[in-house]
Amino acid sequence: MKVLVATEKPFAAIAVEGIRKVVEGNGHELVLLEKYTAVEELTAAVGDVDALIVRSDKVTATLLDAASKLKIVVRAGAGYDNIDLDAATARGIIVENTPGQNSNAVAELAFGMLIMAVRNMYAGTSGSELQGKSIGIQAFGQVGRNVARIAKGFGLTVNALDPYCPDQVMEDFGVQPIHDLQKLYRENKFVSIHIPATAETRGSIGYELISLMPKDGVLINTARKEVIDESGLAQALSERSDLKYVADVRPDNAEELLEKFPTQVFFTPKKMGAQTTEANINAGIAAARQIVSYFLDGDTRFQVNK
Ligand code: 3PG
């Protein structure tokens, strides 16, 4: 079988070597399309492949139409909002993700940005410490759990909200469950967002929630830009010069926010939460193994379009 790794934002070379070993070691062929700049390159590359590994690369119905032999797409990562699941399902194509494989990397970056925010964007003026404050984690999935683990090391009190996670799971992590979203924002100086972008969550965090945050609040977004109501965020920042918003998912109104609130916002130039050698190895090799396992005995444990 022919396996294509198509990554506009490439994996570390050592991760690609690992993927190659798994794919070729199991008798399949590996093809690479890295750092492509035009969707036409991707469309041309999928024509004769049986399996596809992507990151945040867009897998649209049009792309799938060009991939007549494609049987399985694995998103090497957690969020699969970049893949048209309905289109894949309609064409009988399996879609999988690799949950948990890059979550520590994302959680560590959340703290990198949080510390930058409480130290006044490293301006050298007197900032504040994390110890003794509280953090609210919005969604207690794999990234949220890593954030909780690291938060405890900083001496933070940890609260979390996740309607899909039983309280007991949070309590086992030493985390206080919160069931009211407004309470999460009102009672935590720091809030870290870890919800996926879905029809339900898009634009769900806006003025009403953000303006509830306590004095000197910091909102951290390593999830998806789409979950933020950007005009509501701008309004909250303009009314509350003590609030900060730091994100690894650059909003569409980034330039406007950077110009109006230069000391209150920070955005990474390109999404880099999962951009570590370790996360690339973990997610890339997991994706390769899942493909090999599917072709070997039909294993679809990680399928997300069932
Ligand atoms: C994910 O959903 O796994 C993260 O957002 C990482 O995305 P990336 O592979 O594009 O860095």
Side-chain angles (χ1 to χ4, degrees):
M1 299 286 177
K2 197 165 181 173
V3 181
L4 172 67
V5 174
T7 47
E8 179 268 326
K9 178 175 61 185
F11 291 122
I14 190 172
V16 178
E17 264 173 53
I19 294 171
R20 186 179 294 285
K21 271 192 195 134
V22 172
V23 171
E24 294 180 350
N26 283 278
H28 304 296
E29 184 188 346
L30 184 77
V31 189
L32 288 180
L33 176 68
E34 295 179 301
K35 292 192 197 171
Y36 62 89
T37 50
V39 71
E40 291 73 23
E41 293 176 66
L42 179 57
T43 311
V46 296
D48 62 346
V49 303
D50 302 279
L52 175 62
I53 296 176
V54 291
R55 295 184 65 177
S56 290
D57 308 81
K58 289 209 168 23
V59 180
T60 61
T62 314
L63 184 76
L64 294 175
D65 281 337
S68 57
K69 291 176 72 186
L70 191 63
K71 294 152 191 77
I72 179 167
V73 179
V74 182
R75 192 284 191 239
Y80 42 86
D81 48 309
N82 52 318
I83 300 176
D84 186 333
L85 290 192
D86 291 339
T89 307
R91 289 158 183 77
I93 297 167
I94 309 258
V95 179
E96 300 188 354
N97 66 346
T98 64
Q101 300 292 347
N102 59 19
S103 49
N104 179 64
V106 178
E108 287 189 10
L109 184 69
F111 282 94
M113 294 194 299
L114 174 57
I115 290 178
M116 185 181 186
V118 297
R119 294 302 184 102
N120 301 330
M121 307 303 185
Y122 298 144
T125 51
S126 184
S128 62
E129 299 177 23
L130 303 187
Q131 182 168 245
K133 316 290 189 316
S134 70
I135 188 166
I137 301 175
Q138 189 175 356
F140 205 61
Q142 303 278 356
V143 184
R145 290 170 205 206
N146 276 287
V147 168
R149 173 180 54 77
I150 299 166
K152 283 193 246 159
F154 278 110
L156 284 157
T157 300
V158 190
N159 302 299
L161 177 140
D162 190 334
Y164 302 101
C165 177
D167 287 1
Q168 192 58 51
V169 172
M170 295 183 193
E171 284 158 9
D172 290 348
F173 274 82
V175 169
Q176 174 68 40
I178 289 192
H179 303 105
D180 172 359
L181 190 56
Q182 298 206 335
K183 186 173 152 100
L184 187 84
Y185 278 75
R186 196 186 306 115
E187 296 186 357
N188 290 284
K189 201 183 247 317
F190 313 130
V191 173
S192 194
I193 301 169
H194 302 291
I195 52 176
T198 62
E200 190 192 343
T201 64
R202 271 173 230 272
S204 64
I205 300 163
Y207 177 78
E208 278 179 27
L209 281 177
I210 299 167
S211 56
L212 287 175
M213 292 186 78
K215 183 164 170 8
D216 297 328
V218 180
L219 181 60
I220 311 136
N221 187 0
T222 53
R224 290 291 182 268
K225 68 174 182 179
E226 289 83 1
V227 302
I228 301 288
D229 165 9
E230 295 185 357
S231 59
L233 166 68
Q235 194 185 340
L237 291 170
S238 74
E239 288 178 17
R240 292 271 308 277
S241 60
D242 61 302
L243 288 183
K244 292 193 175 74
Y245 178 65
V246 288
D248 184 36
V249 280
R250 204 177 169 84
D252 292 334
N253 64 347
E255 294 311 321
E256 177 202 335
L257 296 181
L258 285 162
E259 197 186 314
K260 287 189 180 157
F261 317 109
T263 60
Q264 288 171 266
V265 297
F266 169 77
F267 310 120
T268 53
K270 196 164 191 176
K271 188 163 68 126
M272 52 170 281
Q275 198 60 320
T276 65
T277 304
E278 295 89 337
N280 289 175
I281 291 173
N282 292 345
I285 294 179
R289 288 203 176 118
Q290 287 171 214
I291 286 171
V292 165
S293 179
Y294 171 68
F295 286 132
L296 191 67
D297 55 18
D299 180 2
T300 55
R301 252 176 308 160
F302 295 98
Q303 187 176 355
V304 293
N305 64 334
K306 281 191 188 167

